[in-house]
Amino acid sequence: MDAMIDLFTSFSGLLSLGIIAFVCVMGGYITRMALRKMNEEQARLTHADTERRLKTA
């Protein structure tokens, strides 16, 4: 219980809490960006494949 009190009341505990929050937010941002890039790449490949099939048909 003393560790929790130190985490929320001391300066070093609050800095640690801030870093933990920052890392979580950064992880969420990078995950969202990677998923968006994967979806864009899949859409680009699907569009290119559709155009290729239309030209050969």
Side-chain angles (χ1 to χ4, degrees):
M1 190 64 187
D2 288 336
M4 292 299 285
I5 292 171
D6 286 342
L7 181 65
F8 290 107
T9 58
S10 70
F11 181 71
S12 61
L14 290 173
L15 283 177
S16 297
L17 199 59
I19 290 171
I20 291 168
F22 176 76
V23 168
C24 289
V25 169
M26 180 71 78
Y29 174 77
I30 291 173
T31 300
R32 195 183 96 210
M33 183 181 63
L35 289 172
R36 182 172 43 92
K37 293 288 186 182
M38 286 189 293
N39 289 336
E40 288 174 2
E41 181 70 12
Q42 185 64 40
R44 186 185 66 79
L45 290 174
T46 302
H47 181 69
D49 187 47
T50 303
E51 283 185 353
R52 184 182 56 82
R53 287 183 185 194
L54 288 175
K55 285 181 182 178
T56 60

Coordinates of all heavy atoms in Angstrom, one line a residue:
M1 N 0.8 -1.2 0.0 CA 0.0 0.0 0.0 C 0.9 1.3 0.0 O 0.5 2.3 -0.6 CB -0.9 0.0 1.2 CG -2.0 1.0 1.2 SD -3.1 0.7 -0.2 CE -4.1 2.2 -0.1
D2 N 2.0 1.2 0.6 CA 2.9 2.4 0.7 C 3.4 2.7 -0.7 O 3.6 3.9 -1.1 CB 4.1 2.1 1.6 CG 3.8 2.1 3.0 OD1 2.7 2.7 3.4 OD2 4.5 1.5 3.8
A3 N 3.6 1.7 -1.6 CA 4.0 2.0 -3.0 C 3.0 2.7 -3.7 O 3.3 3.6 -4.5 CB 4.3 0.6 -3.7
M4 N 1.7 2.4 -3.5 CA 0.6 3.2 -4.2 C 0.6 4.6 -3.7 O 0.4 5.5 -4.5 CB -0.7 2.5 -4.0 CG -0.8 1.1 -4.6 SD -0.7 1.2 -6.4 CE -2.3 1.8 -6.8
I5 N 0.8 4.8 -2.4 CA 0.8 6.2 -1.9 C 1.9 7.0 -2.5 O 1.8 8.1 -2.9 CB 0.8 6.1 -0.3 CG1 -0.5 5.6 0.2 CG2 1.1 7.5 0.2 CD1 -0.5 5.3 1.7
D6 N 3.1 6.3 -2.6 CA 4.3 7.0 -3.1 C 4.0 7.3 -4.6 O 4.5 8.3 -5.1 CB 5.5 6.2 -3.0 CG 6.0 6.2 -1.6 OD1 5.7 7.1 -0.8 OD2 6.8 5.3 -1.2
L7 N 3.4 6.4 -5.3 CA 3.1 6.6 -6.8 C 2.3 7.8 -7.0 O 2.6 8.5 -8.0 CB 2.5 5.3 -7.3 CG 2.2 5.3 -8.9 CD1 3.5 5.4 -9.6 CD2 1.4 4.1 -9.2
F8 N 1.3 8.0 -6.2 CA 0.4 9.1 -6.5 C 0.7 10.4 -5.7 O 0.1 11.5 -6.0 CB -1.1 8.7 -6.2 CG -1.6 7.7 -7.1 CD1 -1.8 6.4 -6.8 CD2 -1.9 8.0 -8.4 CE1 -2.2 5.4 -7.6 CE2 -2.4 7.1 -9.3 CZ -2.6 5.8 -8.9
T9 N 1.6 10.4 -4.8 CA 1.9 11.6 -4.0 C 3.3 12.2 -4.2 O 3.5 13.4 -4.1 CB 1.6 11.4 -2.5 OG1 2.5 10.3 -2.1 CG2 0.2 11.0 -2.3
S10 N 4.3 11.4 -4.5 CA 5.6 11.9 -4.6 C 5.9 12.4 -6.0 O 5.3 11.9 -7.0 CB 6.7 10.8 -4.2 OG 6.7 9.8 -5.1
F11 N 6.9 13.2 -6.1 CA 7.3 13.8 -7.4 C 7.7 12.7 -8.4 O 7.3 12.6 -9.5 CB 8.3 14.9 -7.3 CG 8.7 15.5 -8.6 CD1 7.9 16.3 -9.3 CD2 10.0 15.2 -9.1 CE1 8.2 16.9 -10.5 CE2 10.4 15.8 -10.3 CZ 9.5 16.6 -11.0
S12 N 8.6 11.8 -7.9 CA 9.2 10.8 -8.8 C 8.1 9.8 -9.1 O 8.1 9.2 -10.2 CB 10.3 10.1 -8.1 OG 9.9 9.5 -6.9
G13 N 7.1 9.5 -8.2 CA 6.0 8.6 -8.5 C 5.1 9.2 -9.6 O 4.7 8.5 -10.5
L14 N 4.9 10.5 -9.5 CA 4.0 11.1 -10.6 C 4.7 11.2 -11.9 O 4.1 11.0 -12.9 CB 3.7 12.6 -10.1 CG 2.7 12.6 -9.0 CD1 2.5 14.1 -8.5 CD2 1.3 12.0 -9.3
L15 N 6.1 11.4 -11.9 CA 6.8 11.3 -13.2 C 6.7 9.9 -13.7 O 6.5 9.7 -14.9 CB 8.3 11.7 -12.9 CG 8.6 13.1 -12.8 CD1 10.0 13.3 -12.5 CD2 8.2 13.9 -14.0
S16 N 6.8 8.9 -12.9 CA 6.7 7.5 -13.4 C 5.3 7.2 -13.9 O 5.2 6.6 -15.0 CB 7.0 6.5 -12.2 OG 8.3 6.6 -11.7
L17 N 4.3 7.7 -13.3 CA 3.0 7.5 -13.7 C 2.8 8.2 -15.1 O 2.1 7.7 -16.0 CB 2.0 8.1 -12.7 CG 0.5 7.7 -12.8 CD1 0.4 6.2 -12.6 CD2 -0.3 8.4 -11.7
G18 N 3.4 9.4 -15.2 CA 3.3 10.1 -16.5 C 4.0 9.3 -17.6 O 3.5 9.3 -18.8
I19 N 5.1 8.7 -17.3 CA 5.8 8.0 -18.4 C 5.0 6.7 -18.7 O 4.9 6.4 -19.9 CB 7.2 7.6 -17.9 CG1 8.1 8.9 -17.8 CG2 7.9 6.5 -18.7 CD1 9.4 8.7 -17.2
I20 N 4.4 6.1 -17.8 CA 3.6 4.9 -18.0 C 2.4 5.3 -18.9 O 2.1 4.6 -19.9 CB 3.1 4.3 -16.7 CG1 4.3 3.6 -16.0 CG2 2.0 3.2 -17.0 CD1 4.0 3.2 -14.6
A21 N 1.8 6.4 -18.6 CA 0.6 6.9 -19.4 C 1.1 7.2 -20.8 O 0.4 6.9 -21.8 CB 0.0 8.1 -18.8
F22 N 2.3 7.9 -21.0 CA 2.8 8.3 -22.3 C 3.1 7.0 -23.1 O 2.7 7.0 -24.3 CB 4.0 9.1 -22.1 CG 4.7 9.5 -23.4 CD1 4.2 10.4 -24.2 CD2 5.8 8.8 -23.8 CE1 4.8 10.8 -25.4 CE2 6.5 9.1 -25.0 CZ 5.9 10.1 -25.8
V23 N 3.7 6.0 -22.5 CA 4.0 4.8 -23.3 C 2.7 4.1 -23.8 O 2.6 3.6 -24.9 CB 4.9 3.9 -22.4 CG1 5.0 2.5 -23.0 CG2 6.2 4.4 -22.2
C24 N 1.7 4.1 -22.9 CA 0.4 3.5 -23.3 C -0.2 4.2 -24.5 O -0.7 3.6 -25.4 CB -0.6 3.4 -22.1 SG -0.1 2.2 -20.9
V25 N -0.2 5.6 -24.4 CA -0.8 6.4 -25.5 C 0.0 6.2 -26.8 O -0.5 6.1 -27.9 CB -0.8 7.9 -25.1 CG1 -1.2 8.8 -26.2 CG2 -1.9 8.1 -24.0
M26 N 1.3 6.2 -26.7 CA 2.2 6.0 -27.8 C 2.0 4.6 -28.5 O 1.9 4.5 -29.7 CB 3.7 6.1 -27.4 CG 4.6 5.9 -28.6 SD 4.6 7.3 -29.7 CE 5.6 8.4 -28.8
G27 N 1.8 3.6 -27.7 CA 1.5 2.3 -28.2 C 0.2 2.2 -28.9 O 0.1 1.6 -30.0
G28 N -0.8 2.9 -28.4 CA -2.1 3.0 -29.1 C -2.0 3.7 -30.4 O -2.6 3.3 -31.4
Y29 N -1.3 4.8 -30.4 CA -1.1 5.6 -31.6 C -0.4 4.8 -32.7 O -0.8 4.8 -33.9 CB -0.3 6.9 -31.3 CG 0.0 7.7 -32.6 CD1 -1.0 8.4 -33.2 CD2 1.3 7.6 -33.1 CE1 -0.7 9.2 -34.3 CE2 1.6 8.3 -34.3 CZ 0.6 9.1 -34.9 OH 0.9 9.8 -36.0
I30 N 0.7 4.1 -32.3 CA 1.4 3.3 -33.3 C 0.6 2.2 -33.8 O 0.6 1.8 -35.0 CB 2.8 2.9 -32.7 CG1 3.7 4.1 -32.5 CG2 3.4 1.8 -33.6 CD1 5.0 3.8 -31.7
T31 N -0.2 1.5 -33.0 CA -1.0 0.4 -33.4 C -2.1 0.9 -34.4 O -2.3 0.3 -35.4 CB -1.7 -0.2 -32.2 OG1 -0.7 -0.7 -31.3 CG2 -2.7 -1.3 -32.6
R32 N -2.7 2.1 -34.1 CA -3.7 2.6 -34.9 C -3.1 3.0 -36.3 O -3.7 2.8 -37.4 CB -4.4 3.8 -34.3 CG -5.6 4.3 -35.0 CD -6.2 5.5 -34.4 NE -5.7 6.6 -35.2 CZ -5.5 7.8 -34.7 NH1 -5.7 8.1 -33.5 NH2 -5.1 8.8 -35.6
M33 N -1.9 3.6 -36.3 CA -1.3 4.0 -37.5 C -0.9 2.8 -38.4 O -1.1 2.8 -39.6 CB 0.0 4.8 -37.2 CG 0.7 5.3 -38.4 SD 2.2 6.2 -38.1 CE 3.2 5.0 -37.3
A34 N -0.4 1.7 -37.7 CA 0.0 0.5 -38.5 C -1.3 -0.1 -39.1 O -1.2 -0.6 -40.2 CB 0.7 -0.5 -37.5
L35 N -2.4 -0.2 -38.3 CA -3.6 -0.8 -38.9 C -4.1 0.0 -40.1 O -4.6 -0.5 -41.1 CB -4.6 -0.9 -37.8 CG -4.4 -2.0 -36.7 CD1 -5.4 -1.8 -35.6 CD2 -4.4 -3.3 -37.3
R36 N -4.0 1.3 -40.0 CA -4.5 2.2 -41.1 C -3.6 2.0 -42.3 O -4.2 1.9 -43.4 CB -4.5 3.7 -40.6 CG -5.0 4.6 -41.7 CD -5.1 6.0 -41.2 NE -4.0 6.5 -40.4 CZ -2.9 7.1 -40.8 NH1 -2.9 7.4 -42.1 NH2 -1.9 7.5 -40.0
K37 N -2.3 1.9 -42.1 CA -1.4 1.7 -43.2 C -1.7 0.3 -43.9 O -1.6 0.2 -45.1 CB 0.0 1.8 -42.8 CG 0.5 3.2 -42.4 CD 0.6 4.1 -43.6 CE 1.1 5.4 -43.2 NZ 1.2 6.3 -44.3
M38 N -1.9 -0.7 -43.1 CA -2.2 -2.0 -43.6 C -3.5 -2.0 -44.5 O -3.6 -2.6 -45.5 CB -2.3 -3.1 -42.5 CG -1.0 -3.4 -42.0 SD -1.0 -4.8 -40.8 CE -2.0 -4.2 -39.5
N39 N -4.5 -1.3 -44.0 CA -5.8 -1.2 -44.7 C -5.6 -0.4 -46.0 O -6.2 -0.8 -47.0 CB -6.9 -0.6 -43.8 CG -7.3 -1.5 -42.7 OD1 -7.2 -2.7 -42.8 ND2 -7.9 -0.9 -41.7
E40 N -4.8 0.6 -46.0 CA -4.6 1.4 -47.2 C -3.8 0.5 -48.2 O -4.2 0.6 -49.4 CB -3.7 2.6 -46.9 CG -4.5 3.7 -46.2 CD -3.6 4.9 -45.8 OE1 -2.4 4.9 -46.1 OE2 -4.1 5.8 -45.2
E41 N -2.8 -0.2 -47.8 CA -2.1 -1.1 -48.7 C -3.0 -2.2 -49.3 O -2.9 -2.5 -50.5 CB -0.9 -1.7 -47.9 CG 0.0 -2.6 -48.8 CD 0.8 -1.9 -49.8 OE1 0.9 -0.6 -49.7 OE2 1.3 -2.5 -50.7
Q42 N -3.8 -2.8 -48.5 CA -4.8 -3.8 -49.0 C -5.7 -3.2 -50.0 O -6.0 -3.8 -51.0 CB -5.5 -4.4 -47.8 CG -6.4 -5.6 -48.2 CD -5.6 -6.7 -48.8 OE1 -4.6 -7.1 -48.3 NE2 -6.1 -7.4 -49.8
A43 N -6.2 -2.0 -49.7 CA -7.1 -1.4 -50.7 C -6.4 -1.0 -52.0 O -6.9 -1.2 -53.1 CB -7.7 -0.1 -50.1
R44 N -5.1 -0.6 -51.9 CA -4.4 -0.3 -53.1 C -4.1 -1.5 -53.9 O -4.2 -1.5 -55.2 CB -3.0 0.4 -52.7 CG -2.2 0.9 -53.9 CD -0.9 1.4 -53.5 NE 0.0 0.4 -52.9 CZ 0.7 -0.5 -53.7 NH1 0.6 -0.5 -55.0 NH2 1.5 -1.4 -53.1
L45 N -3.8 -2.6 -53.3 CA -3.5 -3.9 -54.0 C -4.8 -4.4 -54.6 O -4.8 -4.9 -55.7 CB -2.9 -4.9 -53.1 CG -1.5 -4.6 -52.6 CD1 -1.1 -5.7 -51.5 CD2 -0.5 -4.7 -53.8
T46 N -5.9 -4.3 -53.9 CA -7.2 -4.8 -54.5 C -7.6 -3.9 -55.7 O -8.0 -4.5 -56.7 CB -8.3 -4.7 -53.4 OG1 -7.9 -5.4 -52.3 CG2 -9.6 -5.2 -54.0
H47 N -7.4 -2.6 -55.6 CA -7.7 -1.7 -56.7 C -6.8 -2.0 -57.9 O -7.2 -2.1 -59.1 CB -7.5 -0.3 -56.3 CG -7.8 0.7 -57.4 ND1 -9.1 0.9 -57.8 CD2 -7.0 1.5 -58.1 CE1 -9.1 1.8 -58.8 NE2 -7.8 2.2 -59.0
A48 N -5.5 -2.2 -57.7 CA -4.6 -2.6 -58.8 C -4.9 -3.9 -59.4 O -4.8 -4.1 -60.7 CB -3.1 -2.6 -58.3
D49 N -5.3 -4.9 -58.6 CA -5.7 -6.2 -59.2 C -6.9 -6.1 -60.0 O -7.0 -6.7 -61.1 CB -5.9 -7.2 -58.0 CG -6.1 -8.6 -58.5 OD1 -5.3 -9.0 -59.4 OD2 -7.0 -9.2 -58.0
T50 N -7.9 -5.3 -59.6 CA -9.1 -5.1 -60.3 C -8.8 -4.4 -61.7 O -9.4 -4.9 -62.7 CB -10.1 -4.2 -59.5 OG1 -10.4 -4.9 -58.3 CG2 -11.4 -4.1 -60.3
E51 N -8.0 -3.4 -61.7 CA -7.6 -2.8 -62.9 C -6.9 -3.7 -63.9 O -7.1 -3.7 -65.1 CB -6.8 -1.5 -62.6 CG -7.5 -0.4 -62.1 CD -6.6 0.9 -62.0 OE1 -5.4 0.8 -62.1 OE2 -7.2 1.9 -61.7
R52 N -6.0 -4.5 -63.3 CA -5.3 -5.5 -64.1 C -6.2 -6.5 -64.8 O -6.1 -6.8 -66.0 CB -4.2 -6.2 -63.3 CG -3.3 -7.1 -64.1 CD -2.3 -7.9 -63.2 NE -2.9 -8.6 -62.1 CZ -3.5 -9.8 -62.3 NH1 -3.5 -10.5 -63.4 NH2 -4.0 -10.4 -61.2
R53 N -7.2 -7.0 -64.0 CA -8.2 -7.9 -64.6 C -9.0 -7.3 -65.6 O -9.4 -8.0 -66.6 CB -9.0 -8.5 -63.5 CG -8.3 -9.5 -62.6 CD -9.2 -10.0 -61.5 NE -8.4 -10.9 -60.6 CZ -8.9 -11.7 -59.8 NH1 -10.2 -11.9 -59.7 NH2 -8.1 -12.4 -58.9
L54 N -9.4 -6.0 -65.5 CA -10.3 -5.4 -66.5 C -9.5 -5.2 -67.8 O -10.1 -5.3 -68.9 CB -10.8 -4.1 -65.9 CG -11.8 -4.2 -64.8 CD1 -12.2 -2.8 -64.3 CD2 -13.1 -4.9 -65.3
K55 N -8.2 -4.9 -67.7 CA -7.4 -4.6 -68.9 C -7.2 -5.9 -69.7 O -7.1 -5.9 -70.9 CB -6.1 -4.0 -68.5 CG -6.2 -2.6 -68.1 CD -4.8 -2.0 -67.8 CE -5.0 -0.5 -67.3 NZ -3.7 0.0 -66.9
T56 N -7.0 -7.0 -69.0 CA -6.8 -8.3 -69.7 C -8.0 -9.0 -70.2 O -8.0 -9.9 -71.0 CB -6.0 -9.3 -68.8 OG1 -6.8 -9.6 -67.6 CG2 -4.7 -8.7 -68.4
A57 N -9.2 -8.6 -69.7 CA -10.4 -9.2 -70.1 C -11.0 -8.7 -71.4 O -10.6 -7.8 -72.0 CB -11.5 -9.0 -69.0

